[in-house]
Amino acid sequence: MAFSKSELVEAKRQIDSTLHKLRETVKTLEAKEIPSRYKSQITLARRRIDAFEISVFLIERELMELDEES
């Protein structure tokens, strides 16, 4: 499936925003008085961060390929 450069740029922008929020969520949960109570939420947030970082990498690679074709 092919995406336009503008679609990829917007997708990356949205993912970057979500990544920022997830990282802040992890910081907040880890700073709680008893962070072990939030272990599953922290694990889920970290796994989502990993998945979104892969997505950003793939989007950036696709954008580089589009730039090379131009």
Side-chain angles (χ1 to χ4, degrees):
M1 179 179 246
F3 297 99
S4 70
K5 184 174 182 176
S6 63
E7 288 173 319
L8 292 169
V9 169
E10 179 60 21
K12 183 181 177 307
R13 190 177 75 78
Q14 294 298 323
I15 292 170
D16 285 340
S17 172
T18 303
L19 269 169
H20 174 74
K21 291 173 187 173
L22 282 167
R23 288 181 179 123
E24 291 302 313
T25 298
V26 169
K27 285 181 193 175
T28 300
L29 292 173
E30 289 176 337
K32 296 278 187 185
E33 190 172 319
I34 307 173
S36 61
R37 288 184 65 190
Y38 305 97
K39 185 177 179 181
S40 62
Q41 290 94 330
I42 293 169
T43 299
L44 177 61
R46 285 186 177 148
R47 287 180 180 166
R48 287 179 175 166
I49 289 168
D50 291 343
F52 281 126
E53 286 176 342
I54 291 168
S55 298
V56 167
F57 172 80
L58 295 172
I59 289 170
E60 288 174 344
R61 187 172 71 181
E62 186 69 20
L63 285 168
M64 284 176 36
E65 288 177 13
L66 285 174
D67 285 343
E68 289 172 2
E69 291 174 5
S70 299

